[in-house]
Amino acid sequence: MADSTVSGAVTAQTALDAVQRYPREAIAIGRRVLAVGPDADERAAAERAIGLALRELNDLPGALRHLRRAVRVAGSPRVRALAQMSLGYVLANAGHTAAALRAVTLALPRLTGADAGRARMQRGVVLHYRGRFDEAVREYGIAVEIAQREGDPLLEARARNNRGLLNAHRGTSRDDDDLFRSAAIFSRLGLDLAAADARWNIGIAAGQRGDVAGALRSFATVGEEYRRLSVPRPALLLDRFELLLSVPLVDEAVEVATSAVTELRRRGMASDLAEALLARARAALLAGDLDTATGAAASSRARFRRQGRRTWAAFARHVELRAEHARGTRSAALLTAMVRTAEQLDATGWPSPALTTRIEAARLAEALGQPARAAELLAVAARAHRRGTAPHRAQGWYALALRRRLDGDLRGAAGALRRGLAVLDGHRASLSATELRAHSGAYGQDLAAEGLDIAVRTGTPAQVLAWAERWRANALRMRAVQPPQDPGLATALAELRMVSTALEDALLAGHPVHTLRRSQGRLEQRIRELARTVDGGVRGVDGGGLVAPPAVRALAAALGHAVLLELVAHGPRLRAVLVRGGRTSLHDLGPLDDALNRARLHRFGLRRLVTTGDSASARAGVAFAAAALDQQLFGPVRRLLGDRPLVIVPIGALHAVPWSGLPTCAGRPVTVAPSATVWLRAAGRVVPAGPPVLVAGPRLPAAETEVRQLGAALPGSRPLTGPGATADAVTAALNGTRLAHIAAHGTFRADNPLFSTLELADGPLTAYELERLTRPPGCVVLSACDSGLSGVRPGDEVMGFTAVLLALGARSLIATVLPVPAGLTTALMLDLHRRMRAGVPPAVALAEAQRAFDTAGGGGAAHATAAAFVCFGAG
């Protein structure tokens, strides 16, 4: 019996040593120890090893069962205290933080040396969960000191990891020294899983500093390591959620939060589940889903209170109150609750939600006729402009602007708003991926809207134009220093083409497609992650970083005889700034909702003419909708427009208008641009001299005919048809060409416009792939359905083929905003290219070709086909 006892004791310690390195093996070893009938302390050690290994595998109920058994069966005070210490750690994970704190505190007096250091660290973990952050940092510091004194590198690494993560979340550390040292120690000890956890935390710290690309790179690398180790980490979904919300990528954040709730509930991880419910509430609030936001926030708050986590409960309350404010509630009770919650959040280390709540409380106080209270709240909030992340500082400038406006200092308010937007400009420039920059426009919405409101109410039309431009389509003013050439990204894009082609073939053949759709979704997620982690920062296309809004004088010189009409959403009204002959004027175009509804009816009518057939009633409906929209948009400015060429800068929701289908625009050269700044830069570009490139995609017989006839009309052009029209061949040919024409099936993806496609011989070409161009083409004609549609993000940021090509440096793009019938399109395209070959500018050539095509007959379908084409950029 003595021999088996000695063997069992050694094996129990072996099981404990294997917990973080090989948790499944630790469980197996622990069970073998129990099978030989060891004495009490050895049995307790084996039960403790199994419990901790189950915690590593996220089986919290099983972990608690074995750890409670370890406490019960332990023979000596030291072994019982060690089991209590471990039990406290897992109780905290399960959300039982009061019981956890009792267990660890009871263990402390019975432990000395390195054991006491481990207990101090576990006590820090429990205090961390309970939101007592200063106390937690002190406990972690004591644990580090004990570890260094006792020569216990494992304890030092664990305590540093915990302290580094807490300081990263609080924003109180300027570097990641604790985390890097922790990862290095774990690696030296051969603890791959623990090292991976520390490196994941380095990614969290990067995200907290605003280094989104760095955080994504860390998460991607460590995610591969977790898969190699076959260890699930569902709670890490919450870290990914925080990063997505920081951009903000709201739709993805909603998906990740929902997945986290489902997975953590399934695994019984109560503490993390409460945080996941809060994540779902925060994402729903940003998405405008107020019912989900309120319900999830209330549920998480109840869980936090049961777990004794008052700090987290205050955060959940903050989301509930913001949802109530968003519903339109304006009451003294809500104001009192918001102020109290902001103070609680400040006191417990949540400065960003405290700031947001305080600003909204100030606006509520002003609405309730309490300007003094509003000024007091804003004065506190304005201090945030001095420190913190870029969005946090920008919110501080916003608060300062509101305070100055409340005091009647409109000039000072406008200055503060400009300073806040400048902070966000720097933040956006640090995001190298097009998608991230486009989504980051959400942060500047309130500041830009406030500046625009001041300009509309008190400024000149030129000032309104400057504010409208200040935050419009800013992502298109930047591009990567070098286009992404990552081999992994190129491989993933090629795989996506193959899978998408197989999916299309399976759909046509009526075969099951579930597996292929899953593969497509995984590849798209992989491509998004790779594209978002491209290094290099951004620069302005002209090398000068972000470009200031253009002066009216510069616009007037470039416009010449043309007129620029920039549409502006101002609260519930649609307004327009018109630039003509060096003069600006401001016009009220009526209710914004009316314009949006009329635009939808007009698009619906034209689409119906193409897809469901022509009829007198359908044509009459289109004419009625066109006349109503035309009158609202152009009636107030018709006299100033005359018969001049027109440059239109629409608001995001009107980017898809088929402009030539409106009476005022029919036969008139019309160019559409995301912003006046983008138009001005495009107008100044020199068109490259490369020969024309003509591309025909598959499964479209009319495309081959179209390219063949265009080839005869454009001597020296380079045709790419049949098997030769591959994605690589087309992207290579586009580099440096003066003119490219692509006739192919097109698909617009509203969920992610950068996955919009043109179908080529080897599969779909995505907008992502066009970002690899190094010498952009001069003019691109996309004779493909919906190829000119764009996804619109906050700040009127557009995403899709149009945005990518203009950002790269193309001068103009002619594309469709509706489906177009291939049989009708060829004649229109031939006429367009003949006119451009004769030296007619693209917008003028398109207007003349559309008028000729429309008046030649062909009915409503011909009218809709002509109207579908729009000239973007600088025509």
Side-chain angles (χ1 to χ4, degrees), residues 565 567 574 589 595 597-604 606 621-635 638 641 646 648 650 654-670 672 817-818 847 850-851 854 863-864 866-870:
L565 188 72
L567 304 183
L574 181 64
L589 304 184
N597 288 331
R598 287 163 178 161
R600 279 192 286 268
L601 288 173
H602 183 228
R603 275 183 55 79
F604 173 79
L606 288 172
V622 168
F624 179 81
L629 180 60
D630 187 85
Q631 178 58 32
Q632 180 172 0
L633 296 182
F634 301 117
R638 199 176 308 282
L641 292 180
L646 179 60
I648 299 176
L654 294 178
H655 261 281
V657 168
W659 295 97
S660 71
L662 302 181
T664 297
C665 298
R668 181 197 300 265
V670 175
V672 177
V817 293
L818 290 167
Q850 285 171 319
R851 169 160 283 185
D854 202 3
H863 171 72
F869 284 88
V870 176

Side-chain angles (χ1 to χ4, degrees), residues 150-367:
E150 297 292 328
D152 190 331
L154 179 57
L155 172 58
E156 180 183 353
R158 287 172 172 165
R160 285 190 181 279
N161 186 40
N162 291 344
R163 184 172 67 181
L165 179 61
L166 176 53
N167 284 331
H169 278 304
R170 299 172 80 202
T172 55
S173 177
R174 294 184 179 274
D175 57 48
D176 305 328
D177 180 65
D178 268 339
L179 295 173
F180 278 109
R181 291 175 69 172
S182 171
I185 295 171
F186 283 135
S187 294
R188 284 200 303 271
L189 295 174
L191 298 174
D192 293 347
L193 178 57
D197 288 340
R199 287 195 296 273
W200 182 276
N201 292 341
I202 290 171
I204 294 174
Q208 291 292 323
R209 290 194 304 272
D211 180 6
V212 176
L216 286 167
R217 280 194 297 275
S218 291
F219 289 171
T221 301
V222 180
E224 292 292 333
E225 183 71 1
Y226 285 139
R227 283 188 284 276
R228 183 184 70 79
L229 295 170
S230 300
V231 176
R233 282 287 191 264
L236 301 186
L237 287 169
L238 297 175
D239 299 326
R240 182 168 182 80
F241 164 83
E242 292 293 345
L243 190 63
L244 292 169
L245 208 64
S246 75
V247 174
L249 293 162
V250 177
D251 292 342
E252 280 188 67
V254 169
E255 291 177 14
V256 169
T258 302
S259 297
V261 168
T262 301
E263 184 65 13
L264 294 168
R265 179 174 279 133
R266 183 177 72 82
R267 292 179 179 272
M269 299 174 70
S271 182
D272 290 322
L273 174 59
E275 293 177 34
L277 286 166
L278 175 57
R280 177 191 276 177
R282 292 164 63 199
L285 181 63
L286 279 183
D289 182 358
L290 300 182
D291 289 340
T292 298
T294 301
S299 178
S300 68
R301 184 161 69 102
R303 287 173 178 272
F304 286 135
R305 293 182 69 176
R306 286 199 301 272
Q307 295 169 12
R309 301 168 69 186
R310 290 189 175 85
T311 300
W312 287 88
F315 198 164
R317 180 60 171 159
H318 142 86
V319 178
E320 283 185 272
L321 295 174
R322 288 192 64 201
E324 191 65 26
H325 185 258
R327 288 181 194 279
T329 301
R330 300 292 182 266
S331 68
L334 179 60
L335 175 60
T336 300
M338 293 179 84
V339 172
R340 182 172 59 245
T341 300
E343 290 169 351
Q344 290 172 345
L345 290 167
D346 258 340
T348 51
W350 294 105
S352 290
L355 174 60
T356 306
T357 301
R358 194 167 274 118
I359 290 174
E360 291 190 359
R363 304 221 74 160
L364 175 56
E366 185 181 6

Side-chain angles (χ1 to χ4, degrees), residues 497 692-696 718-737 740-742 760-763 765 769-770 772-773 775:
R497 271 198 299 278
V693 174
L694 309 175
V695 180
R718 178 186 175 188
L720 291 172
T721 61
T726 64
D728 285 343
V730 170
T731 51
L734 288 175
N735 271 312
T737 181
H741 179 98
I742 302 176
L760 298 177
D762 60 340
L765 173 75
E769 291 175 272
L770 293 182
R772 294 186 293 168
L773 295 176
R775 291 174 294 126

